[in-house]
Amino acid sequence: MTDDQRSIANNQSLYLKSEKALFMDAVLATLTANQSAALETLKELLRIPSVSAISAHKPDVRRAAEFVRNQLSSAGLTTELVETAGHPIVYAEWLQAADAPTVLIYGHYDVQPPDPLDKWVTPAFEPTVRDGYIWARGATDDKGQMLTHVLSVAAWLKTTGRLPINVKFVIEGEEEVGSDNLDTFLDTRREQLRSDVAVISDTSQYAPGIPAVTYGLRGILACEVRVHGPKQDLHSGIFGGSITNPANALARLIGSLHDANGRVQIPGFYDDVQPLTDSERAGFAALPFNEKDFFASVGVEAGWGEAGFTSTERRWARPTCDVNGLTAGYQGEGPKTIIPSWASAKITCRLVPNQDAHKLSKSLGSFLNANCPPGCRVEFLEHHGCPGFVADANSPFMAAAKAAIERAFGTAPVLIREGGSIPVVATLKQMLGIDTLLLGWGQNTDNLHSPNEHFSIADFHKGTLASACLWQEIANRAQ
Ligand code: BES
Ligand code: ZN
């Protein structure tokens, strides 16, 4: 190459770099100029009570899917509403960035039931702005967070007519009930969904002012145990003391799930657990954390858990077994003296990588059966399950995510794991062979699954900017 040629090549590359920067700035300007419209779009989606668990809401769930699809169509993507045995999946793609990476963006438009309704300050499906937050069921989990990616892609296409990468959106309506029909969709469309990396915003920042990239999630096993006793409720004076009370029996069974050190007693429970490495433990311990404040934030005075592990380790990287719901006997006003005919408990185990939900379910079922006292019978039902997940924290995609977040939030993110579960993450790894960037814009104190769910409006906008930056950062690293 002559000096002249070198200088021309150099100028071209400078020109391309500055063109990229100008495009990026223009996209961010579009997003900043349209913030109030973005909030209105979020409010519209939040008004739709898309509760996937409750069959009466089936038409609402479909309306939410159609709303998301319309947003993506208007943005300029090719879209499809995919029917499943349950709620529909919204699929959308824009694949015109030749030779650039392809990103699969996953989110969910379904929400948890809003109960208990009387605990909401403003109604769950009447989104209200108060104190810099938007309050409604789904504000953070996951309508608000999911929408940030829809808005950023729309802004790129509106401003520049293109995207620096290819995108494939998969927005489902059954995440909150275990994503039962998603696997079939992913399985039958492996070729169409082929991507280099997945992006999900359905987790949390580490704390206010401390954004995070999450590289691990726990899995889950959800099941139910019913203890059956006498053929109907009986007078507890006439029969009490002479037959097994199913409610008492269930309480004993639940009590036997843990020992005094908080260790789960289901045989083989810890056999496959991937132990924490010293460097991970050091990484967790280096994060700012005040245990007293943590307990106070949920209104308790002291913690509990497996001996030998910190609260953070217990939540992010150790398996658990918890009762989520307990039903037995008379629940109405005043006393009623009966031996109930049955008792039931909904139980979930949170799993860490390498544990198998189905294997544990078998073990838990046998444990409960073996320990059920005579005079009662255990019925065990497995609801759903998914494995835990840990991603490569040093990939170029992680570096892209960190740079995008730092630009939008003004602070570099910390690297964390989380205790919650997002079933699709392990499936994407298994079926498409790709890792997921878990980029949460919410906070764990946003009351997810609880009354008065909310999402910081500032973080909604920052998340949208970070998303817009992420597409360029991923493209930059692919060259
Ligand atoms: N968004 C949550 C998961 C989450 C929240 C992960 C905060 C990390 C931090 C998700 O919608 C959820 O609640 N998932 C369920 C999955 C289950 C029903 C299969 C969960 O974890 O309980
Ligand atoms: Zn969610």
Side-chain angles (χ1 to χ4, degrees):
M1 213 189 252
T2 65
D3 279 357
D4 274 0
Q5 283 171 328
R6 202 167 292 124
S7 142
I8 290 170
N10 198 22
N11 282 345
Q12 274 176 345
S13 115
L14 277 178
Y15 174 73
L16 285 176
K17 264 190 204 153
S18 59
E19 188 194 54
K20 265 193 234 160
L22 285 175
F23 271 15
M24 190 69 255
D25 289 349
V27 173
L28 299 183
T30 300
L31 285 170
T32 307
N34 289 297
Q35 284 183 345
S36 44
L39 188 60
E40 285 312 308
T41 306
L42 173 56
K43 280 191 188 167
E44 255 185 87
L45 179 55
L46 290 171
R47 277 188 205 107
I48 307 173
S50 48
V51 184
S52 50
I54 299 177
S55 47
H57 281 297
K58 207 170 161 80
D60 301 316
V61 177
R62 177 168 293 271
R63 259 201 305 139
E66 279 162 358
F67 182 92
V68 173
R69 181 194 183 176
N70 284 340
Q71 293 296 316
L72 288 161
S73 298
S74 319
L77 285 84
T78 309
T79 66
E80 184 186 349
L81 199 67
V82 183
E83 299 300 337
T84 72
H87 300 303
I89 294 168
V90 180
Y91 178 71
E93 60 182 28
W94 188 93
L95 305 175
Q96 294 167 44
D99 301 325
T102 300
V103 178
L104 189 151
I105 302 156
Y106 165 93
H108 63 95
Y109 65 80
D110 65 320
V111 298
Q112 288 268 327
D115 314 72
L117 297 179
D118 61 329
K119 292 281 188 290
W120 285 79
V121 174
T122 48
F125 296 108
E126 291 175 26
T128 310
V129 171
R130 207 164 57 239
D131 306 329
Y133 294 88
I134 175 122
W135 301 75
R137 168 60 81 235
T140 190
D141 185 9
D142 175 41
K143 289 174 172 175
Q145 298 209 65
M146 175 267 288
L147 209 55
T148 61
H149 299 301
V150 178
L151 293 166
S152 84
V153 164
W156 262 103
L157 291 172
K158 183 176 161 189
T159 313
T160 70
R162 52 177 278 274
L163 279 161
I165 48 148
N166 302 294
V167 292
K168 299 177 178 179
F169 278 87
V170 174
I171 311 293
E172 71 151 320
E174 298 190 329
E175 196 272 352
E176 298 293 7
V177 287
S179 298
D180 275 350
N181 295 295
L182 188 67
D183 284 8
T184 314
F185 168 81
L186 297 174
D187 196 18
T188 51
R189 296 193 183 214
R190 281 176 200 238
E191 206 35 51
Q192 184 186 16
L193 296 173
R194 205 140 49 107
S195 306
D196 296 291
V197 69
V199 170
I200 302 181
S201 291
D202 193 23
T203 49
S204 300
Q205 300 182 50
Y206 180 66
I210 311 181
V213 173
T214 300
Y215 70 94
L217 288 175
R218 287 195 292 191
I220 194 168
L221 161 67
C223 44
E224 189 166 342
V225 52
R226 291 187 196 152
V227 177
H228 299 277
K231 64 181 185 185
Q232 64 194 64
D233 293 354
L234 301 173
H235 190 292
S236 63
I238 299 174
F239 297 96
S242 69
I243 57 168
T244 312
N245 178 327
N248 295 20
L250 180 60
R252 283 185 79 98
L253 282 174
I254 291 170
S256 67
L257 287 171
H258 296 90
D259 71 6
N261 289 318
R263 294 270 298 180
V264 176
Q265 298 299 293
I266 303 166
F269 189 75
Y270 296 97
D271 283 0
D272 301 325
V273 167
Q274 209 175 75
L276 268 161
T277 62
D278 288 345
S279 76
E280 264 196 302
R281 296 188 93 162
F284 293 2
L287 294 165
F289 182 70
N290 180 317
E291 195 149 67
K292 264 205 172 134
D293 291 350
F294 171 66
F295 295 143
S297 75
V298 289
V300 300
E301 278 174 13
W304 174 89
E306 191 185 357
F309 295 93
T310 66
S311 291
T312 304
E313 291 166 352
R314 288 169 179 171
R315 290 192 301 130
W316 291 355
R318 295 299 298 168
T320 63
C321 182
D322 275 303
V323 174
N324 308 123
L326 204 48
T327 314
Y330 179 64
Q331 310 276 324
E333 196 181 343
K336 185 172 188 234
T337 48
I338 54 155
I339 306 287
S341 157
W342 59 273
S344 112
K346 297 196 199 267
I347 296 177
T348 49
C349 295
R350 293 285 168 172
L351 313 179
V352 298
N354 216 30
Q355 284 185 296
D356 180 81
H358 195 59
K359 188 171 155 193
L360 277 181
S361 158
K362 285 212 149 87
S363 181
L364 174 56
S366 320
F367 175 82
L368 294 168
N369 261 304
N371 292 294
C372 179
C376 276
R377 174 176 63 84
V378 159
E379 181 190 359
F380 182 77
L381 305 160
E382 180 180 330
H383 284 314
H384 59 78
C386 78
F389 167 83
V390 192
D392 171 10
N394 295 307
S395 73
F397 297 116
M398 283 281 181
K402 286 182 192 167
I405 291 174
E406 180 157 9
R407 171 145 188 201
F409 284 78
T411 317
V414 293
L415 209 55
I416 63 168
R417 285 169 69 165
E418 280 274 17
S421 313
I422 306 176
V424 72
V425 176
T427 320
L428 288 172
K429 181 84 190 176
Q430 185 213 326
M431 286 192 191
L432 305 182
I434 54 172
D435 265 349
T436 297
L437 294 172
L438 294 157
L439 313 177
W441 320 132
Q443 298 290 341
N444 279 337
T445 47
D446 284 346
N447 293 336
L448 292 78
H449 298 198
S450 294
N452 302 310
E453 180 175 347
H454 54 279
F455 186 24
S456 151
I457 294 171
D459 286 342
F460 170 57
H461 295 314
K462 284 182 193 167
T464 310
L465 298 178
S467 168
C469 294
L470 179 63
W471 314 139
Q472 185 63 61
E473 293 290 347
I474 289 178
N476 291 349
R477 279 166 183 77
Q479 283 159 0

